[in-house]
Amino acid sequence: MPEPRPSLLEYSPAELTELLGSLGHKAFRAAQLAEWIWKHRVTDFEAMSNLPPALRAELAARYTLRPLEPVDLRQSQGGSTTRKFLSRLQDGEHVESVIIPAAVGQGGAHSSRLTLCVSSQVGCAFGCRFCASGLLGLTRNLSASEILAQILAAEEIAGERVDNLVFMGMGEPLANIDNLLRALTLIMEPKALGIGARHITISTSGNVPGLRRLAAFGKPLRLAVSLHGASDEVRSRVMPVNRKWPLGELLPALREWNRTGKHMITLEYILIEGVNAELSQARELARIARDLRAKVNLIPYNRVEGLPWVRPSEAACRAFCRALVAERIPVTLRYEKGHDIDAACGQLRLRKTREPQG
Ligand code: SAH
Ligand code: SF4
């Protein structure tokens, strides 16, 4: 395997100026380089036609522009155009990302053309019992450039710009907070990707110290919290993270977020038969949602090969949803798009890891 090279996607336009300065080049060269990287989004140093050939060769010998390479692309069947791709990182690890086009006719304040679900880690240390990403534990954090490169790869696949981002792929973004904040800075930077904070959703299973740092970052990001249980007893059964940061710590941190954040929190709640889909949980969930002025997103469980959990019947899911509506909680019941391409993140990599490697 070739030696991994640092990626220039790691550098802000200002840092590129410093970098080229340290290599003995003038500042205007850095501005040219930044344009090639972020405006024209070239994948090859050779395409940087206004840079001297010696500088192009020097950069190509030391750096890469794409620290990952898509190796498997799947399109879901039955009319949905959700696509999922697996990328190989320079060290041979794999991550997955999901491209979700906006439904036709979708409008409203945060309408978008193309949403991308990105991964933040290879695997995950949190080990939620129902999740494919957690099954194999954590391999490593993604660097900021590996997070950014998923966006560039998706744009290359889709042939259009990504304008909405959700951190709901593999990994717990707040457990990789340093690289997450670095990536977010470049994602929001108008001279880099230029995606506004309001178009970015961070999903967390409730990493309280990470939440506090994200709040201190001070940007109007959207926050989704994977609750999946409305009492400590139910939540701890499927989410070991709840033993470390139980509801008694998580909920105050979310109230604090509400004081600094500008958006309604979304509580994600996967419905799993025999675990958390009792109507008594719906009433507890309503109490939490009301306290946090949050909306609730119900997701019938997406089966993972090798795990025992199943989704409740459609009637049971609807009854759970109605119980929240009766409590006047804003709620959506969403059957996941791309069910047939293992769209719940982590599943494609799991398959790849379990297959004999050729
Ligand atoms: N670690 C973060 C973000 C990645 S998981 C978090 O947990 O929030 C993104 C979402 O997918 C979470 O709400 C997670 O609970 C959910 N998820 C994981 N496995 C799933 C499955 N099999 N079916 C449906 N949703 C799943
Ligand atoms: Fe990690 Fe999120 Fe999966 Fe839990 S649900 S194991 S936190 S990726």
Side-chain angles (χ1 to χ4, degrees):
M1 198 169 297
E3 197 46 29
R5 275 171 298 161
S7 172
L8 283 187
L9 300 179
E10 208 64 43
Y11 294 78
S12 67
E15 287 164 342
L16 282 179
T17 308
E18 251 174 66
L19 175 75
L20 284 207
S22 72
L23 297 175
H25 297 277
K26 299 238 164 65
F28 79 98
R29 292 290 181 209
Q32 289 174 323
L33 179 59
E35 282 215 336
W36 286 115
I37 295 173
W38 297 113
K39 191 166 166 204
H40 307 301
R41 301 190 185 177
V42 299
T43 55
D44 189 348
F45 289 100
E46 273 315 294
M48 302 181 171
S49 53
N50 58 1
L51 295 189
L55 174 56
R56 280 185 251 163
E58 186 182 7
L59 292 173
R62 291 176 189 223
Y63 298 101
T64 178
L65 291 165
R66 292 292 179 273
L68 54 76
E69 182 195 355
V71 289
D72 187 359
L73 176 67
R74 300 192 183 193
Q75 172 123 20
S76 79
Q77 305 296 306
S80 156
T81 42
T82 300
R83 278 174 289 183
K84 178 163 191 160
F85 63 96
L86 188 73
S87 302
R88 187 173 47 233
L89 309 175
Q90 290 190 83
D91 60 359
E93 296 294 342
H94 291 87
V95 289
E96 49 196 77
S97 326
V98 187
I99 304 172
I100 310 156
V104 179
Q106 184 176 308
H110 42 272
S111 69
S112 72
R113 289 179 302 277
L114 204 61
T115 294
L116 183 70
C117 171
V118 289
S119 293
S120 55
Q121 298 182 309
V122 182
C124 182
F126 283 62
C128 301
R129 305 272 183 254
F130 47 79
C131 173
S133 301
L135 266 184
L136 301 171
L138 175 71
T139 303
R140 67 171 175 87
N141 282 331
L142 293 189
S143 63
S145 56
E146 287 166 334
I147 294 172
L148 287 155
Q150 293 172 63
I151 306 168
L152 297 176
E155 294 183 341
E156 281 150 23
I157 290 168
E160 59 180 310
R161 294 273 161 106
V162 166
D163 59 4
N164 203 49
L165 211 55
V166 296
F167 282 79
M168 292 189 183
M170 285 164 49
E172 167 52 44
L174 298 188
N176 183 16
I177 186 81
D178 291 332
N179 295 347
L180 175 72
L181 296 183
R182 183 162 191 86
L184 286 175
T185 303
L186 282 161
I187 289 166
M188 293 185 298
E189 159 67 52
K191 283 191 179 152
L193 286 182
I195 301 175
R198 289 178 176 78
H199 293 264
I200 304 172
T201 302
I202 310 294
S203 178
T204 178
S205 60
N207 177 307
V208 169
L211 253 173
R212 297 228 154 87
R213 282 199 51 199
L214 192 68
F217 187 53
K219 298 288 189 279
L221 298 158
R222 292 177 186 272
L223 183 68
V225 179
S226 297
L227 205 64
H228 311 331
S231 61
D232 279 328
E233 195 240 317
V234 171
R235 197 166 189 257
S236 293
R237 250 182 90 191
V238 283
M239 299 181 74
V241 60
N242 194 66
R243 295 177 203 277
K244 192 154 187 190
W245 296 293
L247 294 174
E249 290 193 36
L250 176 58
L251 299 180
L254 294 177
R255 284 185 207 113
E256 188 58 42
W257 174 275
N258 272 345
R259 275 193 280 277
T260 55
K262 292 189 173 60
H263 292 290
M264 219 180 195
I265 293 173
T266 301
L267 299 175
E268 304 281 336
Y269 198 97
I270 308 178
L271 290 163
I272 310 175
E273 180 152 291
V275 174
N276 63 1
E278 303 276 313
L279 291 183
S280 57
Q281 281 289 298
R283 285 188 289 273
E284 283 294 298
L285 178 56
R287 208 174 47 77
I288 294 175
R290 185 171 306 112
D291 169 48
L292 294 173
R293 294 184 316 280
K295 58 183 173 186
V296 173
N297 195 5
L298 298 174
I299 311 147
Y301 183 62
N302 200 355
R303 225 194 141 132
V304 176
E305 225 178 282
L307 293 183
W309 318 104
V310 291
R311 61 166 59 166
S313 68
E314 199 173 328
C317 293
R318 292 200 187 287
F320 195 95
C321 184
R322 274 199 308 273
L324 289 162
V325 173
E327 303 260 3
R328 288 202 284 280
I329 302 298
V331 54
T332 52
L333 172 62
R334 181 167 57 95
Y335 279 86
E336 199 129 7
K337 288 182 193 170
H339 194 55
D340 56 318
I341 50 168
D342 300 336
C345 275
Q347 299 185 38
L348 206 58
R349 167 177 172 262
L350 188 64
R351 183 162 302 167
K352 176 108 193 159
T353 311
R354 282 176 174 168
E355 273 167 9
Q357 301 288 306

